[in-house]
Amino acid sequence: MKRIQTIEWQKNKIKIIDQTKLPQKLLYIYIKDIKTLWQAIKQMKIRGAPALGIAGALGIYLGIKDIEAKNFKEFKERLDKVARYLFACRPTARNLFYGIERMYNVAVGNKDKSVLKIKELILEEAKKMIEEEKDSCYKIASYGARLIKDKDRVLTICNAGILATLDYGTALGIIYKARQEGKRLRVFACETRPLLQGSRLTAWELKQKGIDVTVICDNMAATLMQQGKIDKVITGADRIAANGDVANKIGTYNLAILAKFHRIPFYVAAPITTFDRRIKSGKDIPIEERDKKEVITLLGKIRIAPCNVKVFNPAFDVTPNNLITAIITDKGIIPPKNIRDTLSAKAKGAPRWGHPSD
Ligand code: MRU
């Protein structure tokens, strides 16, 4: 099987898989300006928190690489604009902001150097971030696989796999690793209305990898649990607040409640770059609301509701920490009630991430 490359820097452009074309075709596209990148993120050609982090980082480089500035002040004015523009694209995934802020900090931290040098350093940092994100996925997978038993039946939602990251994935990375260790597994993928990342992307990806996958409509999860057919739920995350509340794809909260009721462990898998220590609890996480067209049509094609009907279309929900068994990170497995302590211990000595809008 050919390697799936979700996002990379190639030929002086950002190369991504256009995920709106899956599962029908695996189409790679090249992005050479930030307006096109903005649209690609908004339309979810590229999506999933860690992949968005890299899109933000490479997006900064794309937006500044051709700037002709006489000095740092001029350069920074343009950098600010690019950062603000990319910030405004999708509000929920912490990683998008992390990627942008990290590149921004490279510029500010090297303001004494030439503009040319700063540009080089930004690209280098983005490439470093790509390697770090890949590494995080392998670490999450190794920690998470320890929780998986032979013959486990795992339920997941949306896509937290290779297509949402750089390599391997978070929730699905755990499945890949457990499988490599010889465990036999079955995965149940919630189709994930309205944009069907579960049936279009997760099912496609797992089939590419030869994993036993069954697609269910979102409203079938309770029945499966009631019939004793699910051993674990594992999902990804878009942003994790300081108290361990988790924002993830809409429908995740439903699964967490169902899992609690049926006494099934509910795990969240995410890299540390998804944590947001500046946000105290889930109620402060900004939740993206998307176009009504996504709900009243099937992928923009067939209309399935009257066009003048009112629609509520939040892209994410928040699962409170008391419904989460543990969060599987690249630094280890953290019970949600220990998150604040664990992260503040790890953060000692780490630089505070700056923010262009601070
Ligand atoms: O709207 P999407 O497809 O970007 O939402 C993605 C998710 O909710 C994923 O579960 C999350 O980003 C984690 S990806 C490892």
Side-chain angles (χ1 to χ4, degrees), residues 85-131:
Y85 180 66
L86 292 173
F87 267 155
C89 193
R90 291 190 77 191
T92 305
R94 166 65 196 145
N95 305 60
L96 175 65
F97 299 86
Y98 171 78
I100 297 169
E101 288 167 8
R102 185 163 156 175
M103 300 309 116
Y104 188 89
N105 286 350
V106 167
V108 174
N110 290 284
K111 62 178 174 203
D112 299 333
K113 304 209 168 73
S114 71
V115 168
L116 187 67
K117 185 68 193 166
I118 295 173
K119 289 179 183 177
E120 276 172 28
L121 290 172
I122 289 177
L123 182 58
E124 251 172 49
E125 189 73 8
K127 288 183 175 168
K128 194 168 151 210
M129 193 176 148
I130 290 176
E131 294 312 312

mmCIF file of all heavy atoms in Angstrom, residues 85-131:
data_model
loop_
_atom_site.group_PDB
_atom_site.id
_atom_site.type_symbol
_atom_site.label_atom_id
_atom_site.label_comp_id
_atom_site.label_asym_id
_atom_site.label_seq_id
_atom_site.Cartn_x
_atom_site.Cartn_y
_atom_site.Cartn_z
ATOM 1 N N TYR A 85 -5.302 36.361 9.703
ATOM 2 C CA TYR A 85 -6.127 35.778 8.633
ATOM 3 C C TYR A 85 -6.306 34.276 8.868
ATOM 4 O O TYR A 85 -7.420 33.759 8.844
ATOM 5 C CB TYR A 85 -5.422 36.054 7.299
ATOM 6 C CG TYR A 85 -6.138 35.531 6.076
ATOM 7 C CD1 TYR A 85 -7.367 36.046 5.685
ATOM 8 C CD2 TYR A 85 -5.564 34.519 5.298
ATOM 9 C CE1 TYR A 85 -8.016 35.563 4.552
ATOM 10 C CE2 TYR A 85 -6.197 34.040 4.170
ATOM 11 C CZ TYR A 85 -7.421 34.567 3.805
ATOM 12 O OH TYR A 85 -8.052 34.085 2.683
ATOM 13 N N LEU A 86 -5.218 33.597 9.157
ATOM 14 C CA LEU A 86 -5.301 32.145 9.360
ATOM 15 C C LEU A 86 -6.023 31.796 10.663
ATOM 16 O O LEU A 86 -6.753 30.814 10.743
ATOM 17 C CB LEU A 86 -3.908 31.511 9.327
ATOM 18 C CG LEU A 86 -3.217 31.546 7.956
ATOM 19 C CD1 LEU A 86 -1.778 31.040 8.063
ATOM 20 C CD2 LEU A 86 -3.971 30.712 6.922
ATOM 21 N N PHE A 87 -5.834 32.634 11.676
ATOM 22 C CA PHE A 87 -6.534 32.429 12.956
ATOM 23 C C PHE A 87 -8.056 32.364 12.763
ATOM 24 O O PHE A 87 -8.747 31.655 13.467
ATOM 25 C CB PHE A 87 -6.285 33.605 13.896
ATOM 26 C CG PHE A 87 -5.123 33.415 14.838
ATOM 27 C CD1 PHE A 87 -4.468 34.516 15.359
ATOM 28 C CD2 PHE A 87 -4.698 32.163 15.216
ATOM 29 C CE1 PHE A 87 -3.404 34.367 16.233
ATOM 30 C CE2 PHE A 87 -3.639 31.995 16.089
ATOM 31 C CZ PHE A 87 -2.990 33.096 16.594
ATOM 32 N N ALA A 88 -8.539 33.161 11.810
ATOM 33 C CA ALA A 88 -9.989 33.333 11.677
ATOM 34 C C ALA A 88 -10.656 32.198 10.905
ATOM 35 O O ALA A 88 -11.860 32.237 10.651
ATOM 36 C CB ALA A 88 -10.268 34.670 10.988
ATOM 37 N N CYS A 89 -9.892 31.190 10.546
ATOM 38 C CA CYS A 89 -10.422 30.173 9.628
ATOM 39 C C CYS A 89 -11.365 29.178 10.310
ATOM 40 O O CYS A 89 -12.533 29.071 9.955
ATOM 41 C CB CYS A 89 -9.238 29.460 8.999
ATOM 42 S SG CYS A 89 -9.716 28.487 7.624
ATOM 43 N N ARG A 90 -10.836 28.418 11.261
ATOM 44 C CA ARG A 90 -11.696 27.507 12.038
ATOM 45 C C ARG A 90 -11.326 27.709 13.507
ATOM 46 O O ARG A 90 -10.150 27.643 13.862
ATOM 47 C CB ARG A 90 -11.472 26.029 11.641
ATOM 48 C CG ARG A 90 -11.976 25.680 10.251
ATOM 49 C CD ARG A 90 -11.949 24.166 10.015
ATOM 50 N NE ARG A 90 -13.050 23.490 10.676
ATOM 51 C CZ ARG A 90 -13.125 22.168 10.801
ATOM 52 N NH1 ARG A 90 -12.162 21.393 10.349
ATOM 53 N NH2 ARG A 90 -14.173 21.617 11.392
ATOM 54 N N PRO A 91 -12.311 27.913 14.382
ATOM 55 C CA PRO A 91 -11.997 28.368 15.736
ATOM 56 C C PRO A 91 -11.714 27.297 16.784
ATOM 57 O O PRO A 91 -11.203 27.614 17.857
ATOM 58 C CB PRO A 91 -13.271 29.112 16.137
ATOM 59 C CG PRO A 91 -14.359 28.412 15.408
ATOM 60 C CD PRO A 91 -13.750 27.953 14.102
ATOM 61 N N THR A 92 -12.018 26.031 16.525
ATOM 62 C CA THR A 92 -12.024 25.087 17.654
ATOM 63 C C THR A 92 -10.694 24.365 17.877
ATOM 64 O O THR A 92 -10.221 24.292 19.016
ATOM 65 C CB THR A 92 -13.197 24.081 17.510
ATOM 66 O OG1 THR A 92 -14.404 24.828 17.374
ATOM 67 C CG2 THR A 92 -13.304 23.177 18.734
ATOM 68 N N ALA A 93 -10.098 23.825 16.827
ATOM 69 C CA ALA A 93 -8.893 22.999 17.033
ATOM 70 C C ALA A 93 -7.745 23.846 17.578
ATOM 71 O O ALA A 93 -7.300 24.796 16.939
ATOM 72 C CB ALA A 93 -8.478 22.334 15.722
ATOM 73 N N ARG A 94 -7.285 23.487 18.753
ATOM 74 C CA ARG A 94 -6.180 24.219 19.398
ATOM 75 C C ARG A 94 -4.921 24.187 18.515
ATOM 76 O O ARG A 94 -4.165 25.146 18.448
ATOM 77 C CB ARG A 94 -5.907 23.585 20.767
ATOM 78 C CG ARG A 94 -4.611 23.989 21.411
ATOM 79 C CD ARG A 94 -4.551 25.466 21.778
ATOM 80 N NE ARG A 94 -3.176 25.863 22.037
ATOM 81 C CZ ARG A 94 -2.648 27.052 21.745
ATOM 82 N NH1 ARG A 94 -3.385 27.987 21.183
ATOM 83 N NH2 ARG A 94 -1.403 27.306 22.008
ATOM 84 N N ASN A 95 -4.698 23.054 17.819
ATOM 85 C CA ASN A 95 -3.458 22.867 17.059
ATOM 86 C C ASN A 95 -3.257 23.920 15.974
ATOM 87 O O ASN A 95 -2.130 24.308 15.694
ATOM 88 C CB ASN A 95 -3.443 21.473 16.423
ATOM 89 C CG ASN A 95 -3.637 20.397 17.456
ATOM 90 O OD1 ASN A 95 -4.647 20.369 18.140
ATOM 91 N ND2 ASN A 95 -2.668 19.527 17.627
ATOM 92 N N LEU A 96 -4.340 24.357 15.357
ATOM 93 C CA LEU A 96 -4.204 25.383 14.307
ATOM 94 C C LEU A 96 -3.538 26.622 14.896
ATOM 95 O O LEU A 96 -2.593 27.180 14.337
ATOM 96 C CB LEU A 96 -5.590 25.724 13.731
ATOM 97 C CG LEU A 96 -5.624 26.862 12.708
ATOM 98 C CD1 LEU A 96 -4.858 26.488 11.439
ATOM 99 C CD2 LEU A 96 -7.067 27.233 12.336
ATOM 100 N N PHE A 97 -3.994 26.999 16.085
ATOM 101 C CA PHE A 97 -3.454 28.193 16.747
ATOM 102 C C PHE A 97 -2.027 27.939 17.215
ATOM 103 O O PHE A 97 -1.168 28.800 17.124
ATOM 104 C CB PHE A 97 -4.370 28.593 17.919
ATOM 105 C CG PHE A 97 -5.754 28.934 17.421
ATOM 106 C CD1 PHE A 97 -6.707 27.950 17.243
ATOM 107 C CD2 PHE A 97 -6.072 30.235 17.081
ATOM 108 C CE1 PHE A 97 -7.968 28.257 16.738
ATOM 109 C CE2 PHE A 97 -7.327 30.555 16.583
ATOM 110 C CZ PHE A 97 -8.272 29.548 16.411
ATOM 111 N N TYR A 98 -1.813 26.720 17.708
ATOM 112 C CA TYR A 98 -0.459 26.359 18.168
ATOM 113 C C TYR A 98 0.541 26.492 17.019
ATOM 114 O O TYR A 98 1.619 27.077 17.183
ATOM 115 C CB TYR A 98 -0.472 24.921 18.722
ATOM 116 C CG TYR A 98 0.911 24.396 19.014
ATOM 117 C CD1 TYR A 98 1.599 24.779 20.156
ATOM 118 C CD2 TYR A 98 1.545 23.529 18.117
ATOM 119 C CE1 TYR A 98 2.883 24.320 20.415
ATOM 120 C CE2 TYR A 98 2.831 23.066 18.364
ATOM 121 C CZ TYR A 98 3.494 23.467 19.513
ATOM 122 O OH TYR A 98 4.764 23.007 19.752
ATOM 123 N N GLY A 99 0.175 25.965 15.848
ATOM 124 C CA GLY A 99 1.088 26.020 14.689
ATOM 125 C C GLY A 99 1.390 27.452 14.285
ATOM 126 O O GLY A 99 2.546 27.821 14.041
ATOM 127 N N ILE A 100 0.367 28.276 14.260
ATOM 128 C CA ILE A 100 0.540 29.678 13.870
ATOM 129 C C ILE A 100 1.404 30.400 14.908
ATOM 130 O O ILE A 100 2.369 31.096 14.582
ATOM 131 C CB ILE A 100 -0.842 30.372 13.720
ATOM 132 C CG1 ILE A 100 -1.650 29.712 12.605
ATOM 133 C CG2 ILE A 100 -0.666 31.874 13.469
ATOM 134 C CD1 ILE A 100 -3.113 30.133 12.552
ATOM 135 N N GLU A 101 1.056 30.217 16.173
ATOM 136 C CA GLU A 101 1.781 30.912 17.259
ATOM 137 C C GLU A 101 3.244 30.505 17.311
ATOM 138 O O GLU A 101 4.128 31.333 17.531
ATOM 139 C CB GLU A 101 1.133 30.594 18.614
ATOM 140 C CG GLU A 101 -0.210 31.266 18.804
ATOM 141 C CD GLU A 101 -0.976 30.697 19.989
ATOM 142 O OE1 GLU A 101 -0.412 29.889 20.751
ATOM 143 O OE2 GLU A 101 -2.154 31.065 20.145
ATOM 144 N N ARG A 102 3.480 29.227 17.067
ATOM 145 C CA ARG A 102 4.863 28.742 17.150
ATOM 146 C C ARG A 102 5.729 29.409 16.063
ATOM 147 O O ARG A 102 6.859 29.824 16.328
ATOM 148 C CB ARG A 102 4.847 27.214 17.010
ATOM 149 C CG ARG A 102 6.200 26.609 17.209
ATOM 150 C CD ARG A 102 6.083 25.125 17.486
ATOM 151 N NE ARG A 102 7.325 24.473 17.121
ATOM 152 C CZ ARG A 102 7.593 23.200 17.315
ATOM 153 N NH1 ARG A 102 6.684 22.423 17.868
ATOM 154 N NH2 ARG A 102 8.739 22.674 16.957
ATOM 155 N N MET A 103 5.188 29.532 14.852
ATOM 156 C CA MET A 103 5.949 30.179 13.766
ATOM 157 C C MET A 103 6.116 31.669 14.064
ATOM 158 O O MET A 103 7.159 32.262 13.813
ATOM 159 C CB MET A 103 5.231 29.999 12.418
ATOM 160 C CG MET A 103 5.046 28.568 12.000
ATOM 161 S SD MET A 103 6.569 27.582 12.056
ATOM 162 C CE MET A 103 6.154 26.380 13.315
ATOM 163 N N TYR A 104 5.063 32.247 14.610
ATOM 164 C CA TYR A 104 5.088 33.673 14.958
ATOM 165 C C TYR A 104 6.205 33.946 15.972
ATOM 166 O O TYR A 104 6.973 34.893 15.861
ATOM 167 C CB TYR A 104 3.723 34.042 15.536
ATOM 168 C CG TYR A 104 3.528 35.511 15.772
ATOM 169 C CD1 TYR A 104 3.024 36.327 14.768
ATOM 170 C CD2 TYR A 104 3.841 36.082 17.001
ATOM 171 C CE1 TYR A 104 2.853 37.680 14.978
ATOM 172 C CE2 TYR A 104 3.668 37.430 17.219
ATOM 173 C CZ TYR A 104 3.160 38.217 16.210
ATOM 174 O OH TYR A 104 2.991 39.554 16.417
ATOM 175 N N ASN A 105 6.290 33.044 16.952
ATOM 176 C CA ASN A 105 7.315 33.213 17.991
ATOM 177 C C ASN A 105 8.728 33.060 17.445
ATOM 178 O O ASN A 105 9.654 33.706 17.952
ATOM 179 C CB ASN A 105 7.093 32.210 19.129
ATOM 180 C CG ASN A 105 5.909 32.607 19.983
ATOM 181 O OD1 ASN A 105 5.386 33.713 19.841
ATOM 182 N ND2 ASN A 105 5.468 31.721 20.844
ATOM 183 N N VAL A 106 8.886 32.229 16.415
ATOM 184 C CA VAL A 106 10.210 32.094 15.787
ATOM 185 C C VAL A 106 10.604 33.450 15.193
ATOM 186 O O VAL A 106 11.738 33.914 15.353
ATOM 187 C CB VAL A 106 10.179 31.007 14.687
ATOM 188 C CG1 VAL A 106 11.428 31.072 13.819
ATOM 189 C CG2 VAL A 106 10.064 29.640 15.329
ATOM 190 N N ALA A 107 9.653 34.091 14.536
ATOM 191 C CA ALA A 107 9.948 35.399 13.918
ATOM 192 C C ALA A 107 10.321 36.417 14.996
ATOM 193 O O ALA A 107 11.372 37.060 14.936
ATOM 194 C CB ALA A 107 8.745 35.872 13.111
ATOM 195 N N VAL A 108 9.465 36.521 16.007
ATOM 196 C CA VAL A 108 9.688 37.539 17.044
ATOM 197 C C VAL A 108 10.985 37.259 17.820
ATOM 198 O O VAL A 108 11.760 38.171 18.115
ATOM 199 C CB VAL A 108 8.458 37.606 17.987
ATOM 200 C CG1 VAL A 108 8.721 38.540 19.150
ATOM 201 C CG2 VAL A 108 7.225 38.050 17.208
ATOM 202 N N GLY A 109 11.254 35.987 18.059
ATOM 203 C CA GLY A 109 12.453 35.608 18.810
ATOM 204 C C GLY A 109 13.742 35.819 18.028
ATOM 205 O O GLY A 109 14.823 35.731 18.587
ATOM 206 N N ASN A 110 13.634 36.051 16.732
ATOM 207 C CA ASN A 110 14.831 36.238 15.904
ATOM 208 C C ASN A 110 14.808 37.578 15.188
ATOM 209 O O ASN A 110 15.357 37.722 14.095
ATOM 210 C CB ASN A 110 14.935 35.102 14.879
ATOM 211 C CG ASN A 110 15.277 33.791 15.545
ATOM 212 O OD1 ASN A 110 16.420 33.572 15.932
ATOM 213 N ND2 ASN A 110 14.281 32.947 15.728
ATOM 214 N N LYS A 111 14.168 38.548 15.816
ATOM 215 C CA LYS A 111 13.955 39.824 15.121
ATOM 216 C C LYS A 111 15.264 40.548 14.771
ATOM 217 O O LYS A 111 15.260 41.427 13.905
ATOM 218 C CB LYS A 111 13.012 40.726 15.914
ATOM 219 C CG LYS A 111 13.504 41.113 17.271
ATOM 220 C CD LYS A 111 12.488 42.026 17.893
ATOM 221 C CE LYS A 111 12.903 42.319 19.323
ATOM 222 N NZ LYS A 111 11.799 42.703 20.129
ATOM 223 N N ASP A 112 16.349 40.180 15.431
ATOM 224 C CA ASP A 112 17.629 40.836 15.116
ATOM 225 C C ASP A 112 18.264 40.285 13.840
ATOM 226 O O ASP A 112 19.207 40.867 13.321
ATOM 227 C CB ASP A 112 18.613 40.648 16.277
ATOM 228 C CG ASP A 112 18.070 41.278 17.549
ATOM 229 O OD1 ASP A 112 17.276 42.242 17.415
ATOM 230 O OD2 ASP A 112 18.393 40.796 18.647
ATOM 231 N N LYS A 113 17.734 39.178 13.369
ATOM 232 C CA LYS A 113 18.326 38.566 12.165
ATOM 233 C C LYS A 113 17.708 39.180 10.902
ATOM 234 O O LYS A 113 16.709 39.901 10.977
ATOM 235 C CB LYS A 113 18.086 37.056 12.191
ATOM 236 C CG LYS A 113 18.624 36.385 13.454
ATOM 237 C CD LYS A 113 19.034 34.951 13.221
ATOM 238 C CE LYS A 113 19.816 34.405 14.388
ATOM 239 N NZ LYS A 113 19.069 34.128 15.591
ATOM 240 N N SER A 114 18.286 38.856 9.758
ATOM 241 C CA SER A 114 17.755 39.415 8.501
ATOM 242 C C SER A 114 16.395 38.779 8.196
ATOM 243 O O SER A 114 16.100 37.659 8.667
ATOM 244 C CB SER A 114 18.709 39.122 7.348
ATOM 245 O OG SER A 114 18.662 37.733 7.055
ATOM 246 N N VAL A 115 15.601 39.464 7.397
ATOM 247 C CA VAL A 115 14.274 38.946 7.030
ATOM 248 C C VAL A 115 14.435 37.602 6.309
ATOM 249 O O VAL A 115 13.674 36.651 6.554
ATOM 250 C CB VAL A 115 13.518 39.987 6.163
ATOM 251 C CG1 VAL A 115 12.279 39.378 5.522
ATOM 252 C CG2 VAL A 115 13.137 41.202 7.010
ATOM 253 N N LEU A 116 15.444 37.528 5.457
ATOM 254 C CA LEU A 116 15.693 36.284 4.722
ATOM 255 C C LEU A 116 15.951 35.121 5.691
ATOM 256 O O LEU A 116 15.398 34.023 5.545
ATOM 257 C CB LEU A 116 16.908 36.472 3.796
ATOM 258 C CG LEU A 116 17.175 35.320 2.842
ATOM 259 C CD1 LEU A 116 16.060 35.210 1.808
ATOM 260 C CD2 LEU A 116 18.530 35.504 2.164
ATOM 261 N N LYS A 117 16.761 35.401 6.699
ATOM 262 C CA LYS A 117 17.098 34.368 7.690
ATOM 263 C C LYS A 117 15.846 33.961 8.477
ATOM 264 O O LYS A 117 15.618 32.774 8.738
ATOM 265 C CB LYS A 117 18.186 34.913 8.649
ATOM 266 C CG LYS A 117 18.709 33.916 9.639
ATOM 267 C CD LYS A 117 19.513 32.829 8.945
ATOM 268 C CE LYS A 117 19.783 31.645 9.844
ATOM 269 N NZ LYS A 117 20.257 30.478 9.105
ATOM 270 N N ILE A 118 15.039 34.956 8.843
ATOM 271 C CA ILE A 118 13.813 34.648 9.613
ATOM 272 C C ILE A 118 12.907 33.724 8.793
ATOM 273 O O ILE A 118 12.349 32.750 9.317
ATOM 274 C CB ILE A 118 13.073 35.944 10.019
ATOM 275 C CG1 ILE A 118 13.930 36.755 10.997
ATOM 276 C CG2 ILE A 118 11.712 35.635 10.644
ATOM 277 C CD1 ILE A 118 13.384 38.120 11.348
ATOM 278 N N LYS A 119 12.808 34.017 7.504
ATOM 279 C CA LYS A 119 11.970 33.157 6.649
ATOM 280 C C LYS A 119 12.495 31.717 6.675
ATOM 281 O O LYS A 119 11.722 30.767 6.820
ATOM 282 C CB LYS A 119 11.981 33.677 5.208
ATOM 283 C CG LYS A 119 11.213 34.970 5.007
ATOM 284 C CD LYS A 119 11.327 35.378 3.561
ATOM 285 C CE LYS A 119 10.651 36.700 3.298
ATOM 286 N NZ LYS A 119 10.820 37.153 1.914
ATOM 287 N N GLU A 120 13.802 31.587 6.554
ATOM 288 C CA GLU A 120 14.405 30.236 6.573
ATOM 289 C C GLU A 120 14.108 29.528 7.896
ATOM 290 O O GLU A 120 13.766 28.355 7.924
ATOM 291 C CB GLU A 120 15.934 30.346 6.464
ATOM 292 C CG GLU A 120 16.449 30.478 5.060
ATOM 293 C CD GLU A 120 17.958 30.783 5.078
ATOM 294 O OE1 GLU A 120 18.674 30.393 6.044
ATOM 295 O OE2 GLU A 120 18.390 31.435 4.131
ATOM 296 N N LEU A 121 14.220 30.292 8.988
ATOM 297 C CA LEU A 121 14.000 29.685 10.312
ATOM 298 C C LEU A 121 12.550 29.235 10.487
ATOM 299 O O LEU A 121 12.281 28.215 11.130
ATOM 300 C CB LEU A 121 14.382 30.682 11.420
ATOM 301 C CG LEU A 121 15.883 30.973 11.555
ATOM 302 C CD1 LEU A 121 16.130 32.117 12.541
ATOM 303 C CD2 LEU A 121 16.632 29.720 12.000
ATOM 304 N N ILE A 122 11.635 30.003 9.910
ATOM 305 C CA ILE A 122 10.214 29.618 10.017
ATOM 306 C C ILE A 122 9.973 28.295 9.284
ATOM 307 O O ILE A 122 9.321 27.385 9.813
ATOM 308 C CB ILE A 122 9.292 30.749 9.499
ATOM 309 C CG1 ILE A 122 9.320 31.917 10.487
ATOM 310 C CG2 ILE A 122 7.854 30.252 9.282
ATOM 311 C CD1 ILE A 122 8.516 33.139 10.071
ATOM 312 N N LEU A 123 10.523 28.177 8.087
ATOM 313 C CA LEU A 123 10.332 26.916 7.348
ATOM 314 C C LEU A 123 10.962 25.745 8.109
ATOM 315 O O LEU A 123 10.359 24.669 8.226
ATOM 316 C CB LEU A 123 10.907 27.015 5.932
ATOM 317 C CG LEU A 123 10.725 25.757 5.061
ATOM 318 C CD1 LEU A 123 9.243 25.397 4.914
ATOM 319 C CD2 LEU A 123 11.350 25.937 3.680
ATOM 320 N N GLU A 124 12.153 25.988 8.641
ATOM 321 C CA GLU A 124 12.823 24.933 9.418
ATOM 322 C C GLU A 124 11.963 24.498 10.611
ATOM 323 O O GLU A 124 11.822 23.323 10.905
ATOM 324 C CB GLU A 124 14.117 25.502 10.017
ATOM 325 C CG GLU A 124 15.378 24.975 9.392
ATOM 326 C CD GLU A 124 16.582 25.751 9.913
ATOM 327 O OE1 GLU A 124 16.704 25.925 11.139
ATOM 328 O OE2 GLU A 124 17.369 26.200 9.059
ATOM 329 N N GLU A 125 11.376 25.496 11.280
ATOM 330 C CA GLU A 125 10.555 25.195 12.467
ATOM 331 C C GLU A 125 9.300 24.406 12.068
ATOM 332 O O GLU A 125 8.883 23.488 12.781
ATOM 333 C CB GLU A 125 10.170 26.508 13.169
ATOM 334 C CG GLU A 125 9.513 26.343 14.523
ATOM 335 C CD GLU A 125 10.490 25.910 15.625
ATOM 336 O OE1 GLU A 125 11.710 25.874 15.388
ATOM 337 O OE2 GLU A 125 9.991 25.589 16.721
ATOM 338 N N ALA A 126 8.704 24.774 10.939
ATOM 339 C CA ALA A 126 7.504 24.055 10.487
ATOM 340 C C ALA A 126 7.866 22.600 10.193
ATOM 341 O O ALA A 126 7.117 21.673 10.545
ATOM 342 C CB ALA A 126 6.915 24.730 9.251
ATOM 343 N N LYS A 127 9.037 22.394 9.579
ATOM 344 C CA LYS A 127 9.451 21.017 9.275
ATOM 345 C C LYS A 127 9.737 20.244 10.557
ATOM 346 O O LYS A 127 9.432 19.055 10.667
ATOM 347 C CB LYS A 127 10.690 21.024 8.375
ATOM 348 C CG LYS A 127 10.350 21.461 6.948
ATOM 349 C CD LYS A 127 11.563 21.404 6.059
ATOM 350 C CE LYS A 127 11.182 21.727 4.620
ATOM 351 N NZ LYS A 127 12.379 21.947 3.784
ATOM 352 N N LYS A 128 10.291 20.953 11.539
ATOM 353 C CA LYS A 128 10.550 20.324 12.836
ATOM 354 C C LYS A 128 9.218 19.908 13.485
ATOM 355 O O LYS A 128 9.084 18.825 14.055
ATOM 356 C CB LYS A 128 11.282 21.343 13.716
ATOM 357 C CG LYS A 128 11.904 20.782 14.951
ATOM 358 C CD LYS A 128 12.841 21.823 15.572
ATOM 359 C CE LYS A 128 12.913 21.607 17.055
ATOM 360 N NZ LYS A 128 13.157 22.835 17.795
ATOM 361 N N MET A 129 8.250 20.799 13.360
ATOM 362 C CA MET A 129 6.934 20.518 13.957
ATOM 363 C C MET A 129 6.309 19.275 13.304
ATOM 364 O O MET A 129 5.675 18.462 13.982
ATOM 365 C CB MET A 129 6.034 21.755 13.785
ATOM 366 C CG MET A 129 4.788 21.699 14.613
ATOM 367 S SD MET A 129 3.855 23.224 14.458
ATOM 368 C CE MET A 129 2.211 22.547 14.654
ATOM 369 N N ILE A 130 6.509 19.138 11.990
ATOM 370 C CA ILE A 130 5.985 17.950 11.291
ATOM 371 C C ILE A 130 6.579 16.688 11.924
ATOM 372 O O ILE A 130 5.850 15.738 12.245
ATOM 373 C CB ILE A 130 6.315 18.015 9.773
ATOM 374 C CG1 ILE A 130 5.478 19.110 9.108
ATOM 375 C CG2 ILE A 130 6.104 16.656 9.102
ATOM 376 C CD1 ILE A 130 5.764 19.355 7.644
ATOM 377 N N GLU A 131 7.891 16.688 12.126
ATOM 378 C CA GLU A 131 8.545 15.504 12.717
ATOM 379 C C GLU A 131 8.042 15.265 14.143
ATOM 380 O O GLU A 131 7.788 14.133 14.538
ATOM 381 C CB GLU A 131 10.073 15.660 12.708
ATOM 382 C CG GLU A 131 10.671 15.677 11.304
ATOM 383 C CD GLU A 131 10.150 14.543 10.413
ATOM 384 O OE1 GLU A 131 10.139 13.385 10.867
ATOM 385 O OE2 GLU A 131 9.720 14.823 9.274
#
